[in-house]
Each structure stands twice: as C-alpha cells, then as structure tokens.
Amino acid sequence: MTTPSLDTARTVLEELVDAGMRHLVVAPGSRSAPLAYAAAAAQAAGALEVHVRVDERGAAFTALGIARATGRPAGVLTTSGTAVGNLLPAVLEADHAEVPLVVLSADRPPELRGTGANQTTRQPGIFGDHVRAAVDLLPEDDVPARLAGVLDALAGRGPEGSRPTGPVQLNVALREPLHPGPEDGPELAARAARLASRRGARPDPGPAAVAAGPVRAPRPDAGTACSVVVAGDGAGPAAARFAAACGLPLLAEPSSNARCGPHAVGAYRLLLDSPLGRRIERVLLVGRPTLSRPVGALLAREDAVTAAVRPAPVAWFEPGRRRERELTSWTEAAAFTGRGAPGWADAWRQAGAAADEAVVRLLSAGTPAATGPAVAAAVWEACRRDGSVLVAGSSNPVRDLDLAARPGPGSPLVLANRGLAGIDGTVATATGAALGTGRPVRALLGDLTFLHDVSSLLLGRGEREPDLQLVVVNDGGGGIFTTLEHGALGEQEEYRAVVERFFGTPHEARLEALCAGYGVAHRRAEDLAELEQALTAPVRGRSVLEIVVDRSGLRDLHAAIRAAVAQAAGQAAAQSVAQSVARTAGER
C-alpha cells in the first residue's frame, strides 16, 4: 500500500496517459515530488517520456512545442507558489493557438491554504478563462471522476459538442509524506508496467489532422470571379487543396503550412497594392492572418466581399467581431468563391514568379553581406532540402520568411507561436518540437528572441538532447521597429536617441560566450555564402549558427524590394495581357 499522495499521483498520470499524453516536462520541486516519482516509474516502464528543466517558463514552452508539433497532449509539472505563475505565458499561447497543454500544478492541501504556509497561494483558477477546464483535485477526491470533465475538454469535447482544444489545469493538492517509503517502489513499478502494457495495446491518437472536406471544385454554373484564398496561421494543406480545386490564387503565410500548393503565390503581400491586387473582388479567409498590414487592408476593403470558412470552432474568434461572412463547410466556400476567372490564377502565378525573381536579384546584388530576407530564404531552402522542421521566431524572421520563402513542392513544415506572437519561449518551443517529433529542427530567430530565452539552452546531465539548430540573425537589437513608424521617427535627429534606446534596444552580448557557458556548439557565418555552406551540414545535436546583419539600412532595403516587385509585377501584367491578346487572335 503506497502513501496517499503517491497513490493520487500515479492515478493522475494513468488517466493522462490513457488520454494520449506521451511526454511530461518536470520542473523540480518538493510539493510536486509524488508526481515526479510516479513519472519516473512510468518512464522506466516505457509508458511516458519525461524531460527535466529547472526553469518553469522554459519547461512550459518545451511542453508547448511538443504538443504543437505532435498534436498530442503534453504536460508540464511544477511545484506550488511562483512556479505556477511562470507558466502563464505558455498557457496564453496554448489558449489562442489551440494547443493541448496539460498544466499539473502541485499544491498545498486545503488546511494549509490561507494560513501563511510557505509557497502557498491561490492556485485554483489562477489561469482564469485561458484554460478550457480546471480542477482543484483534493486528497479525498475520486480522481477518475474529477478528471473526466477536464479530459473531455482536453480532447475538444464539451457539454454541447465539439469545441476548440487547448490548455487545461490539474491543480493537485498533496499531503505529506511526499516521498516513497521502502514498500512503495515495487507497487509503483508494477502499476507503471501495467500502464505501459495498456498503452501498447491501444493505437496512439496520432498528430491532429486538418479536416479538408472532401474538397470539390464548384459546379460549372457557380460562376467565376476574381477571388483569392488567404491562408493564415494554422490553415493547413486543406487551403492549398481548395485553391487548386477552384483555380484560385493562394496567399499563404509560412505557418499556414499551405505554401506548398501549385497556386501559392510568393511575395504576395507586395502584390496587393498592384493593379492585379486591386482587381480582387472576393476573399476567402482560412485560418488566422497575423503577419501583414497589406492583408489586413485587403480584408477591410469596402469593394471586396469577404468570407471565412471555419468547419470547426476556433479559440481566437468571437462571433460578430469580424466582418467576414461565416461559412461552416468547404462546399459553402466553393459556392462563395466560384471558379477563378479565366486567366486569373495564371496572372497571379506569373506575377508571383516575377516578384520572387526580383526579390532574389535584389538580395543577391552588390555586397555579400547578409540581410534578414536572404537568411530566411536560405534557411527555408535548407529545410526543404533535408526535411527539417522549421520553427519561425516572431517579429522579423517570420515576416522575412513570408517575403522570401518561395512556394512549391516539398515546402517544410513550419511551426510558430502565432497565438499571441510573443518572442518569449522560442528556444524552448523549438526544443520541444524536436523532442516531440524526433525530427531535426531548425529555428530561425532574432538575437533578442534568442537572448530572451537563452536559459532554455540549459540541459541537465543525462537529459535527451534534441537535434536542433538555432539560426540567429543578430542585428544588435530590435530590427522590426525600423520598418514601422518608429523607424521613420528615428531618422529625425530629435528622436534618434529615443527610438534607438526604447525600440532598437542595442546590446553587446556575445553569443559565442553564452553558448560556451551552456555547452552548446556555436558557429558564426561571416556572410551569406558561408551561411549557405554551413546549412548544408545535417542537424545533429544542438548548435547555434549566428549571422550578423545590419539593421540600419532595413527601411531602405524594404523600400527597394517594394519598388523592384512593383516593376516586375507591372512587366508580368503587360506580358500576361499580350499573351491573352495573342490567344484571342489565334482562336479567331
């Protein structure tokens, strides 16, 4: 007979493993010790893989990365007190991005709450409505009965049917003794072995799939229109299949994972203000657009009719808060868009190809010094070549990918924390993606994003090391603000110092020294050619590949790109018109 706390702990883990959880990230602590001992026994039996991290915030983002990459629930375990508060950023991201993150927060028993007991605060309900469900599990409770509702919420089930999946909290109150006695070891091992055998008898649920239909082309009498499909974060391959079936241009963000279809248009956001972009009559939105102001302006245009297809509920959307018409099936979507007008998709493909070529020519001209878009293009192609997962950091890196990553077959799987688009936890998220999938991962991130989460490089002795390469674009501060209105103010003498201090946030951190301190390999590429050569090596173990870029010329670079794309798009449009005239003359 084990102690009551150990019995509660292993029953909780049994229920979670039964619900599909395969990974648990543990941040050490005393009150959570029974759950840690039960997790260790479950790992020894092969029922669960356990990872240990000393920082709770990094532990939570590691679990988030595992769950995001696999589609299966992943857990994070902490002790009581401030440890639980450190989970909030990852819980917020999981809420808005619909990631099945399981928070296991150990707590003091009821008799110690409100007494001033050490490390005791009000943990039940601490995450408010950012979790799908929460339970305060007390020592006397029937664990399976109390967890039933939480596990339903984790699986996307609710009292009224399906609902978005997302984070849940299991606040587990535990009484002393918190450690196993001599008689507890065999019982823990025996129950863990039975759990492992039950798991082996059931198929794993597998990664979450994106429901697509079937996607069928519109009926011949559905009409034609100058429609486009905008694929935002999380849209999935369904958006690419729909655009192909309907013959429509596809404007796909990198983390939509729809940039692979034959109708995907590169550098699309720079084409929206062209004559071709101004011809758009209808816009179908799939997923959540998060990256560009031109797309936001397109969705707000009074002369364009907009709709959004959402076959299932999504966490970030509140009915009535957006102007798009709500569609609940791909059949409705096909009726809304109709078929692409004759020559419409071809015109966009030609303009997109011309825009891509213009961007490549401009980025490769002149100095061999690297730029953010050129680095993004190189990382995209490296992942396409060797099949690595690509984790995109927020701010400039994901936007550079949106601009410079050329669509086409074999496009890599892209993961990004676009739920709230924070820079925090990116190193840990990428680590979790590599641990969860067992695949090599490249993360493209800026220097501030790297420095914000550099502590996630710490691995304890004996912890499994992921195959992870962090490509850090080091511009000595915050480059994204240069491209915004603050950058224009920064060109004025009276604002230059203020903008640089509060938005540029310059630093002199030496990344190679930080990497050495954490025992992580570091290499610095001096130019784009050296970066491209370094990216040909397979991703093995953990490493940081740093490349220095200059953010002082970022506004001029983007202005030059816009001008080059506008010229190329104009030439492509003229060529498309000439070809259309020639075809018409030939038909006569």
Side-chain angles (χ1 to χ4, degrees), residues 35-396:
L35 286 154
Y37 284 115
Q43 179 167 29
L48 190 67
E49 183 167 1
V50 182
H51 315 273
V52 178
R53 299 292 186 271
V54 299
D55 171 59
E56 288 84 7
R57 190 189 67 144
F61 275 105
T62 301
L64 177 89
I66 292 170
R68 182 188 291 278
T70 64
R72 301 185 182 102
V76 56
L77 169 64
T78 74
T79 192
S80 61
T82 59
V84 185
N86 280 302
L87 307 181
L88 180 59
V91 170
L92 291 173
E93 175 64 28
D95 173 18
H96 290 270
E98 301 178 10
V99 177
L101 177 69
V102 180
V103 171
L104 278 169
S105 52
D107 201 355
R108 263 50 178 177
E111 62 269 18
L112 293 182
R113 299 175 186 176
T115 68
N118 186 42
Q119 287 191 354
T120 305
T121 187
R122 295 176 293 280
Q123 291 179 197
I126 193 171
F127 300 115
D129 60 2
H130 293 293
V131 290
R132 300 290 180 270
V135 61
D136 187 22
L137 192 62
L138 303 179
E140 299 80 13
D141 286 342
D142 179 340
V143 174
R146 289 299 312 281
L147 295 191
V150 176
L151 298 182
D152 281 344
L154 186 65
R157 298 187 297 268
E160 299 177 355
S162 65
R163 56 178 299 194
T165 188
V168 298
Q169 182 194 11
L170 280 62
N171 193 65
V172 187
L174 298 166
R175 290 194 178 100
E176 296 182 358
L178 303 172
H179 59 278
E183 70 283 1
D184 293 326
E187 178 68 14
L188 276 171
R191 287 207 32 189
R194 289 196 293 273
L195 176 62
S197 66
R198 291 212 311 273
R199 172 190 161 175
R202 299 185 311 275
D204 276 347
V210 178
V215 177
R216 296 187 178 90
R219 301 183 313 276
D221 60 350
T224 61
C226 293
S227 301
V228 297
V229 178
V230 171
D233 180 64
R241 292 195 290 272
F242 179 86
C246 297
L248 298 175
L250 175 64
L251 318 182
E253 294 183 0
S255 64
S256 70
N257 289 304
R259 215 174 174 98
C260 52
H263 289 250
V265 179
Y268 63 88
R269 73 174 188 247
L270 299 184
L271 298 173
L272 292 177
D273 195 34
S274 70
L276 187 63
R278 288 190 286 274
R279 287 178 57 195
I280 295 173
E281 299 170 347
R282 290 181 167 240
V283 183
L284 179 71
L285 176 62
V286 189
R288 180 184 176 196
T290 65
L291 289 185
S292 73
R293 293 183 179 184
V295 168
L298 170 65
L299 293 169
R301 268 174 43 181
E302 293 297 330
D303 63 336
V305 183
T306 60
V309 58
R310 300 189 180 99
V314 291
W316 54 268
F317 174 70
E318 296 180 16
R321 302 293 293 174
R322 294 183 65 95
R323 71 186 290 260
E324 297 95 19
R325 171 184 164 193
E326 288 295 305
L327 307 176
T328 59
S329 72
W330 294 101
T331 301
E332 288 183 280
F336 169 79
T337 62
R339 293 175 179 271
W344 177 241
D346 287 340
W348 274 92
R349 274 197 298 269
Q350 292 173 15
D356 284 341
E357 292 298 331
V359 171
V360 169
R361 283 196 303 272
L362 192 146
L363 294 178
S364 59
T367 173
T371 62
V375 173
V379 172
W380 173 270
E381 291 303 325
C383 292
R384 187 206 297 269
R385 187 170 55 245
D386 64 17
S388 296
V389 176
L390 201 171
V391 173
S394 291
S395 295
N396 271 338

Side-chain angles (χ1 to χ4, degrees), residues 361-450:
R361 283 196 303 272
L362 192 146
L363 294 178
S364 59
T367 173
T371 62
V375 173
V379 172
W380 173 270
E381 291 303 325
C383 292
R384 187 206 297 269
R385 187 170 55 245
D386 64 17
S388 296
V389 176
L390 201 171
V391 173
S394 291
S395 295
N396 271 338
V398 69
R399 289 172 173 83
D400 288 339
L401 279 171
D402 193 44
L403 175 67
R406 305 187 79 169
S411 296
L413 172 65
V414 179
L415 305 175
N417 284 342
R418 301 307 301 170
L420 289 179
I423 67 169
D424 47 343
T426 305
V427 174
T429 299
T431 300
L435 291 171
T437 62
R439 294 171 57 184
V441 170
R442 283 191 182 88
L444 175 67
L445 63 164
D447 51 312
L448 293 185
T449 299
F450 173 77

Side-chain angles (χ1 to χ4, degrees), residues 538-575:
V539 178
R540 297 287 185 271
R542 295 184 304 155
S543 64
V544 171
L545 178 56
E546 176 188 4
I547 181 148
V548 176
V549 303
D550 182 7
R551 60 183 163 90
S552 64
L554 202 53
R555 287 182 66 81
D556 292 339
L557 172 66
H558 282 275
I561 290 174
R562 287 193 298 272
V565 168
Q567 181 180 13
Q571 293 171 349
Q575 182 180 4

